[in-house]
Amino acid sequence: MTDDARWDHLLVDVGLATMRDDGAPYGAIGNAAIGWRDDRIVFAGPMADLPGAPHALAHHVASLPGTWVTPGLIDCHTHLVFGGDRAEEFELRLEGATYEEIARAGGGIVSSVRATRAAGEDELLRQSLPRAKALLADGVTTLEIKSGYGLEPEAERRMLRVARRLGEVLGVDVRTSFLGLHALPPEYAGRRDDYVALVCDIMLPSLADEELVDAVDAFCEGIGFTHAETQRLFDKATALGLPVKLHAEQLSDLGGAALVARYGGLSADHLEWTSPDAVRAMAAAGTVAVLLPGAYYALRDTRPPPVDAFREHGVAMAVATDLNPGTSPLLSLRLAMGMACTLFRLTPEEALRGATVNAARALGLTDRGTLAPGQRADLAVWNVRHLAELCYWIGGSLLRESWVAGERVVL
Ligand code: DI6
Ligand code: FE
């Protein structure tokens, strides 16, 4: 083999959780190797199938016995760019106030809006960076970040710019979602329609024009926006050629999951109150169910999403942190996976699918989420004996190293 034809990196003596659908749990291959060239995987299979001696095949060879390699984890639902925090609200909830009561009294999302509007772009980046780093330190290589704490053109723009800058600073892929319909800003009290018009007709087109928007999201909820308002936004997004997703049925059933399915949406997220009919609509549309056990846990919710119905109808399930200052200050996707097992009874394999291949689908990405030739070389190497350990350990640091598009992640 000529030097030019050699792969860049080859990891040998590892286990691979390919997450391919080949019948084996986790698509697992023991005693395996994975090699890549530039940003693409060229080999992911048994050691015995390597087409030569490792050092003849790749420039850099590492033997890592006792490790498992998974696709890099994908956090497909976060609100990690925001100013301040809401620790006081946490204390109020412990004293008995509910999330909705706090929101209706002018706290909640709106208090994060005040802090976010007050922070300049660099300050917002400074505050958000440690949160993104925490996710990366636990194996994340792609993450989604929503706007929604600005709720005015400049502040929403600033949030999305910070999301993009985080990706550049950290060398990872950040996918952005515009969440202008997150809460009604106080200055629009009594003028809902004017705010919805501002979001749909001014903010969305101009932010999309600046290429700051990869997808469009809304909070369809009693304390958020109605079915009709969400529909108006989705019509506009569709006209602009942008995919949609939705915070649906977290606290009540406003028919959001069926609505986003009707638009062929990427995902419906939360889903504690989702009806059987909506599950069928999601299955027909291929809309992913994104489960957010961090918010369920923090709000002491008692009604889990209909996981059996998702399984029965073949709705793909993803798992995400929902990292946000109010309902899910959760800085580890691996912990979200563990919670999905303990609180929602996913199997550890379903949870790992939910943070890899199904999370990629929830973001409309087909080039990652499995370990296979041609896929992006996004991988996480774990110091674990059994893959269930990824969900079993509560906290701790199991990650040995991670790679994004073939480059080692340095934190
Ligand atoms: N659902 C959530 O869980 C977060 N946003 C949303 O629409 C909560 C956001 C917050 O309370 O700050
Ligand atoms: Fe959320």
Side-chain angles (χ1 to χ4, degrees):
M1 182 178 274
T2 68
D3 217 41
D4 294 349
R6 285 211 285 178
W7 308 337
D8 294 320
H9 291 273
L10 178 61
L11 308 182
V12 298
D13 306 315
V14 296
L16 293 184
T18 68
M19 306 319 284
R20 286 183 281 197
D21 243 336
D22 57 6
Y26 301 94
I29 308 172
N31 194 23
I34 181 162
W36 60 96
R37 193 171 163 197
D38 299 325
D39 63 343
R40 297 284 147 175
I41 295 172
V42 287
F43 180 92
M47 289 287 286
D49 291 354
L50 275 173
H55 286 280
L57 289 170
H59 292 286
H60 305 279
V61 178
S63 167
L64 302 176
T67 65
W68 278 93
V69 181
T70 68
L73 303 187
I74 299 172
D75 196 346
C76 66
H77 180 141
T78 88
H79 309 246
L80 79 79
V81 172
F82 55 84
D85 64 66
R86 306 240 291 278
E88 291 86 354
E89 188 180 306
F90 173 57
E91 291 180 326
L92 287 176
R93 285 208 313 274
L94 289 172
E95 286 163 16
T98 69
Y99 178 63
E100 282 156 297
E101 282 164 4
I102 292 167
R104 291 188 195 284
I109 293 174
V110 168
S111 76
S112 292
V113 171
R114 279 190 292 272
T116 303
R117 285 180 177 176
E121 189 172 311
D122 289 344
E123 175 59 18
L124 211 44
L125 181 73
R126 191 190 67 75
Q127 292 190 33
S128 305
L129 192 57
R131 297 190 278 268
K133 283 188 176 174
L135 293 180
L136 266 51
D138 218 8
V140 167
T141 54
T142 297
L143 64 144
E144 185 257 19
I145 302 178
K146 302 173 195 298
S147 70
Y149 292 117
L151 310 183
E152 64 187 8
E154 256 328 289
E156 285 289 296
R157 183 166 176 272
R158 200 173 331 126
M159 286 187 72
L160 293 169
R161 283 175 49 89
V162 168
R164 289 271 192 253
R165 279 176 68 187
L166 282 169
E168 286 155 22
V169 171
L170 294 168
V172 300
D173 230 7
V174 169
R175 309 294 293 179
T176 54
S177 299
F178 172 59
L179 181 58
L181 293 192
H182 194 195
L184 188 69
E187 65 274 18
Y188 278 88
R191 295 190 293 136
R192 298 184 67 82
D193 281 355
D194 291 349
Y195 182 66
V196 175
L198 173 71
V199 165
C200 295
D201 302 336
I202 308 286
M203 290 205 237
L204 177 56
S206 68
L207 294 169
D209 206 44
E210 291 180 63
E211 300 195 344
L212 288 170
V213 181
D214 296 322
V216 176
D217 194 353
F219 188 31
C220 186
E221 196 60 69
I223 54 169
F225 292 87
T226 66
H227 192 277
E229 289 162 343
T230 304
Q231 201 170 335
R232 179 166 171 192
L233 176 75
F234 283 2
D235 283 337
K236 190 75 196 195
T238 306
L240 291 168
L242 293 169
V244 297
K245 56 172 73 178
L246 190 63
H247 282 74
E249 282 117 59
Q250 179 185 10
L251 309 168
S252 60
D253 184 1
L254 300 189
L259 176 68
V260 72
R262 187 138 51 78
Y263 283 80
L266 292 172
S267 69
D269 304 35
H270 285 289
L271 306 174
E272 280 78 358
W273 290 81
T274 298
S275 71
D277 279 352
V279 175
R280 278 189 283 274
M282 288 173 65
T287 298
V288 176
V290 177
L291 308 182
L292 304 170
Y296 176 95
Y297 165 84
L299 295 181
R300 296 166 180 268
D301 206 341
T302 52
R303 182 183 168 111
V307 165
D308 285 339
F310 294 140
R311 287 190 186 115
E312 188 189 325
H313 293 281
V315 173
M317 292 181 281
V319 176
T321 60
D322 195 15
L323 168 47
N324 77 67
T327 60
S328 192
L330 172 54
L331 295 166
S332 162
L333 180 53
R334 206 172 55 68
L335 183 49
M337 290 160 56
M339 287 176 164
C341 296
T342 301
L343 301 174
F344 298 162
R345 295 187 180 273
L346 263 65
T347 66
E349 185 193 354
E350 284 174 324
L352 185 56
R353 276 191 190 284
T356 54
V357 60
N358 290 349
R361 230 180 100 181
L363 295 177
L365 300 171
T366 54
D367 65 345
R368 67 199 77 176
T370 65
L371 300 178
Q375 287 267 293
R376 248 168 66 119
D378 286 5
L379 33 124
V381 184
W382 304 94
N383 290 316
V384 296
R385 183 186 58 80
H386 191 293
L387 287 163
E389 286 180 65
L390 297 179
C391 298
Y392 159 80
W393 295 109
I394 302 171
S397 51
L398 307 181
L399 187 73
R400 181 198 160 93
E401 64 195 47
S402 57
W403 300 78
V404 175
E407 302 281 336
R408 179 85 177 254
V409 177
V410 184
L411 287 177

